[in-house]
Amino acid sequence: MELELFSGAFFSALLAIILIDLVLAGDNALIIGLVARNLPKESQNKVIFWGTFGAIAIRALMTVLVVYILAVPGFMLVGGLALVWIARKLLTPHDKEEESHLVKAPAASFAAAVRTIVIADAVMGIDNVLAIGGASHGSILLILLGLAISVPIIVWGSQLVIKLVDRYPSVILIGGAVLCWTAYGMIVREPMLVAWFEAHPAAKLVLAGLAFSIALAPWYAERLSEQMKPLTVLLPAILLWMLGFEVASSVWKVQVDYLMATTQGEYLLEGVRWIGWLPFAALFLWIRERMMLRNARVARSTQ
Amino acid sequence: MRLIHRSPRAANAARTASPSAELFVASLVICMILSSFGYAVDPIWFGETGLELAVVDLGGEFSVLAMRHWHLLELLLAGGMMAAGIVILGIVAGAVFQPLATADSGAVEKVPIKL
């Protein structure tokens, strides 16, 4: 689908790409610094240049690949689900500064250093490229613009991005919401599911609620009291239960709509759909309570 | 490692974001979910129940059902408007209900009423 140039949809997609680039940018400068720190001074400059060049080249190649991969039926769904998880990881608080697991040790040679930088960028950039592929709606111009925005961030923009997100951490929250919105859009645009969503319009609402309740759980969990914390599990589980009935109605050709039910069995099924999750929720809360009591007992006994 | 994890404030955005920013993002998310609600509701149902006036407004562009066509920019604006509306509502509600709250029995400004 090609978006009309300079339309509201075009600028919206561009804004989504900029936000995604900001929040999912990888720390290439740190990787290059870690890899090249034991190399001779004259090799370090060459490593910085070729490492950055390789990182940009691999990013461009991955972007092109993602455009083609997302056109394959099924990949839009997989990409959408992956983005929901990426948004959740993005919003999960990090208490201590994590070590970069992509670089185990400084490189011993120029070739090894460049190879490590390129591989590290490829690993760090997968989510970024996937999200841009989803947000661009297949528009080549937007993908090129996304690449043109992410390359300066890779090369020079790291300090600027750090300053921005440090001053306004809410950019991360907006980025998480936009990522989740992009994921929802990718799932409902999945070619294999378009017809199903047309036939089950309520499923779109449930899916949107499900995606946001999973992706934003680390954020709203911070605002919930200890007694309300199970909501981070129960809310997505209930929405998944509802979505499951919509899927089941298609697979087994059963009527789960109360207004269209005609037989006793269909009314029973409708009842199970709306209140059948209650025993499971109660069981979950009971097990959680027991586990918490057990953990508290163990903690007391070890003191 | 992500760039944002170099900043402790950004890495803990779920904890460090300001309340007003959180209200804005929450409003944005509500608008996003409402826009998917537009797909779930068939406008014909409203017609059948005589509620078509509830969903048809100025060209039908500002109703919840029309939100399904909205882009991110429109949703951001709507989220901002909703957050501003909630803040104004909070201020107005505070101004109305604060004078109605009873003062402490031992407070200095408590007016003694003798019958």
Side-chain angles (χ1 to χ4, degrees):
Chain A
M1 183 183 74
E2 199 69 35
L3 294 173
E4 199 183 323
L5 202 60
F6 303 127
S7 63
F10 180 85
F11 284 114
S12 293
L14 187 60
L15 180 66
I17 287 170
I18 292 170
L19 275 168
I20 288 165
D21 269 333
L22 281 179
V23 298
L24 294 183
D27 196 351
N28 292 73
L30 181 80
I31 299 282
I32 291 172
L34 283 174
V35 169
R37 68 180 187 266
N38 280 9
L39 291 176
K41 197 79 183 162
E42 62 273 17
S43 292
Q44 280 184 357
N45 287 337
K46 278 203 303 186
V47 165
I48 291 168
F49 176 78
W50 286 109
T52 309
F53 178 80
I56 293 167
I58 201 79
R59 187 65 67 93
L61 184 72
M62 278 179 11
T63 309
V64 173
L65 278 176
V66 157
V67 173
Y68 286 103
I69 288 171
L70 286 180
V72 177
F75 275 84
M76 206 72 135
L77 173 67
V78 175
L81 294 176
L83 275 193
V84 171
W85 193 249
I86 290 164
R88 189 188 167 98
K89 292 284 284 177
L90 182 74
L91 297 179
T92 305
H94 288 70
D95 286 325
K96 54 183 177 192
E97 202 168 313
E98 62 186 58
E99 292 288 314
S100 179
H101 58 277
L102 295 167
V103 180
K104 301 280 185 226
S109 68
F110 170 76
V114 172
R115 193 173 57 237
T116 308
I117 292 165
V118 170
I119 291 171
D121 185 74
V123 173
M124 287 190 302
I126 287 172
D127 48 7
N128 195 330
V129 166
L130 180 68
I132 289 174
S136 64
H137 295 254
S139 163
I140 300 296
L141 178 62
L142 277 171
I143 287 166
L144 290 174
L145 280 172
L147 206 58
I149 293 162
S150 64
V151 166
I153 293 175
I154 292 173
V155 184
W156 308 285
S158 57
Q159 285 306 315
L160 192 72
V161 173
I162 291 170
K163 272 187 187 149
L164 176 78
V165 293
D166 195 59
R167 177 74 184 82
Y168 302 107
S170 48
V171 171
I172 311 295
L173 296 184
I174 300 173
V178 169
L179 263 178
C180 193
W181 181 242
T182 307
Y184 162 76
M186 284 171 79
I187 296 170
V188 295
R189 288 204 315 273
E190 163 61 47
M192 291 196 306
L193 297 176
V194 166
W196 187 80
F197 277 117
E198 287 294 319
H200 299 82
K204 280 190 180 179
L205 177 63
V206 178
L207 179 71
L210 180 63
F212 280 109
S213 66
I214 293 172
L216 305 183
W219 173 36
Y220 66 78
E222 289 291 327
R223 301 286 167 269
L224 294 175
S225 63
E226 203 51 50
Q227 282 143 331
M228 295 297 282
K229 284 262 198 284
L231 207 64
T232 55
V233 177
L234 285 177
L235 185 61
I238 292 167
L239 290 167
L240 202 62
W241 173 274
M242 294 290 173
L243 201 61
F245 272 82
E246 287 288 334
V247 174
S249 71
S250 306
V251 175
W252 290 297
K253 305 273 182 276
V254 288
Q255 185 55 256
V256 292
D257 192 331
Y258 178 79
L259 293 172
M260 293 178 179
T262 49
T263 63
Q264 211 167 20
E266 286 174 352
Y267 281 114
L268 190 69
L269 200 64
E270 185 64 11
V272 172
R273 179 197 194 187
W274 287 107
I275 56 170
W277 54 270
L278 278 169
F280 294 106
L283 184 68
F284 166 73
L285 290 173
W286 181 74
I287 291 172
R288 185 178 177 274
E289 188 81 18
R290 300 284 298 175
M291 293 291 283
M292 281 171 72
L293 286 172
R294 200 177 132 218
N295 289 346
R297 249 200 322 270
V298 170
R300 262 202 309 274
S301 63
T302 51
Q303 276 172 3
Chain B
M1 185 185 174
R2 284 195 211 294
L3 206 51
I4 57 162
H5 291 157
R6 290 268 296 278
S7 152
R9 259 166 71 79
N12 289 293
R15 292 173 188 153
T16 55
S18 65
S20 52
E22 284 190 305
L23 177 65
F24 170 66
V25 180
S27 305
L28 172 67
V29 170
I30 289 169
C31 286
M32 285 172 169
I33 293 174
L34 278 178
S35 74
S36 65
F37 174 75
Y39 286 103
V41 178
D42 187 350
I44 297 166
W45 294 349
F46 286 88
E48 283 171 355
T49 50
L51 289 169
E52 62 269 53
L53 281 173
V55 288
V56 178
D57 49 51
L58 301 166
E61 278 307 304
F62 297 94
S63 68
V64 169
L65 296 184
M67 281 178 80
R68 63 178 159 180
H69 304 300
W70 285 13
H71 306 301
L72 183 63
L73 280 172
E74 290 164 305
L75 290 169
L76 281 167
L77 281 173
M81 294 285 282
M82 188 190 269
I86 291 169
V87 169
I88 291 167
L89 205 65
I91 292 167
V92 171
V96 170
F97 287 106
Q98 212 170 11
L100 298 179
T102 52
D104 275 347
S105 54
V108 180
E109 69 270 26
K110 185 79 177 173
V111 180
I113 300 170
K114 286 178 184 167
L115 294 173

